[in-house]
Amino acid sequence: MIQLHRIKKAFHTGSGKQDILRSVDLHVNTGEYVAIMGKSGSGKSTLLNILGALDSADSGEYVLAGKPVHKMRQAKRTGLRNNEIGFVFQQFQLIPNLSVYQNVLLPLTYGRKKLGRKKARVMQLLEEVGLADKRKQKPARLSGGEKQRAAIARALVNEPSILLADEPTGSLDETTTETILQLFDRVHQQGTTIVVITHDQEVANRAQRVIHLRNGVLV
């Protein structure tokens, strides 16, 4: 599913070059659930952005589902993100003036599915995450856990083959975190490949495999 080979990434600042990722190799099998842990500044989010084709490496190879992402132009990367990848962020990234239903529907707006099928898919997911009764609410009226469940539904609406999550429980309490992790468990059981970035050992323990990122190197 995911193959990274000798991935390097650096940022240039006024004081010089700062190496973020130093020759990272990573292989994730189809249907696997992997957690990547590391301290702040270790390169976790940069790595996830590269996995999600939101950013590109300075050098190295990235192959996703047999497709050479490192060779793709921006338009193809955008298509790959829309069709293959779902994102879940710590701060939810919901659009405040749209309802829960409209937020989840948004990724389908430019798809080729008929409107009836789009509506059915959105309602199916809202039922699965327990938000069908909140579908008309704006994000400001939701709790943190409800916002994250809406964000997860939005991430899954295009039926991606891989779900990438960046500290998905970082701003949630213990009880709500467990609810979100149970939802991730169900998504994984349905066959979705999951890569989650976290600093929380309890979150990492739910994965099949835990990898540590230290000073830009996977160990």
Side-chain angles (χ1 to χ4, degrees):
M1 171 57 73
I2 293 173
Q3 295 178 315
L4 296 182
H5 180 60
R6 299 182 68 84
I7 291 292
K8 295 182 180 180
K9 183 70 175 180
F11 293 124
H12 295 271
T13 65
S15 57
K17 187 178 79 166
Q18 180 181 3
D19 292 320
I20 305 300
L21 299 176
R22 310 164 188 260
S23 197
V24 169
D25 291 319
L26 174 65
H27 298 272
V28 179
N29 295 322
T30 300
E32 195 173 9
Y33 187 167
V34 174
I36 299 176
M37 300 190 73
K39 295 180 179 179
S40 295
S42 61
K44 302 189 303 298
S45 293
T46 300
L47 178 59
L48 199 75
N49 286 340
I50 291 173
L51 290 175
L54 293 169
D55 196 2
S56 57
D58 295 334
S59 63
E61 298 177 356
Y62 174 23
V63 178
L64 175 62
K67 300 168 185 173
V69 181
H70 61 286
K71 295 181 179 180
M72 289 181 181
R73 295 182 182 276
Q74 190 58 49
K76 275 204 167 184
R77 286 171 176 263
T78 300
L80 184 75
R81 287 197 301 270
N82 291 341
N83 297 320
E84 298 283 350
I85 304 169
F87 296 91
V88 180
F89 303 98
Q90 180 177 351
Q91 298 302 326
F92 320 126
Q93 306 290 350
L94 298 173
I95 297 176
N97 62 330
L98 297 183
S99 68
V100 169
Y101 177 91
Q102 291 168 325
N103 266 283
V104 177
L105 178 66
L106 195 59
L108 294 176
T109 303
Y110 302 105
R112 296 181 179 179
K113 288 182 180 179
K114 293 183 178 180
L115 183 59
R117 291 184 63 191
K118 291 179 181 180
K119 290 181 176 179
R121 175 63 177 162
V122 172
M123 288 309 302
Q124 173 197 346
L125 284 168
L126 289 178
E127 291 282 357
E128 288 182 8
V129 302
L131 288 177
D133 61 334
K134 304 274 188 177
R135 63 187 180 277
K136 296 182 181 179
Q137 300 280 11
K138 299 289 179 63
R141 302 284 299 276
L142 303 179
S143 68
E146 289 169 340
K147 290 177 183 176
Q148 194 60 293
R149 281 185 278 152
I152 292 170
R154 182 186 57 191
L156 296 173
V157 75
N158 268 335
E159 301 179 78
S161 57
I162 177 172
L163 183 66
L164 302 177
D166 191 0
E167 299 285 2
T169 62
S171 59
L172 305 177
D173 60 41
E174 186 174 337
T175 301
T176 308
T177 291
E178 178 60 26
T179 299
I180 298 302
L181 292 179
Q182 288 177 5
L183 181 54
F184 272 54
D185 290 343
R186 293 205 302 273
V187 170
H188 177 238
Q189 288 164 8
Q190 292 167 2
T192 304
T193 304
I194 299 177
V195 178
V196 59
I197 297 291
T198 184
H199 65 275
D200 188 333
Q201 188 65 55
E202 292 300 317
V203 174
N205 288 343
R206 302 296 275 264
Q208 295 171 304
R209 181 159 58 108
V210 181
I211 300 169
H212 292 267
L213 187 62
R214 293 176 186 161
N215 297 320
V217 179
L218 289 178
V219 296

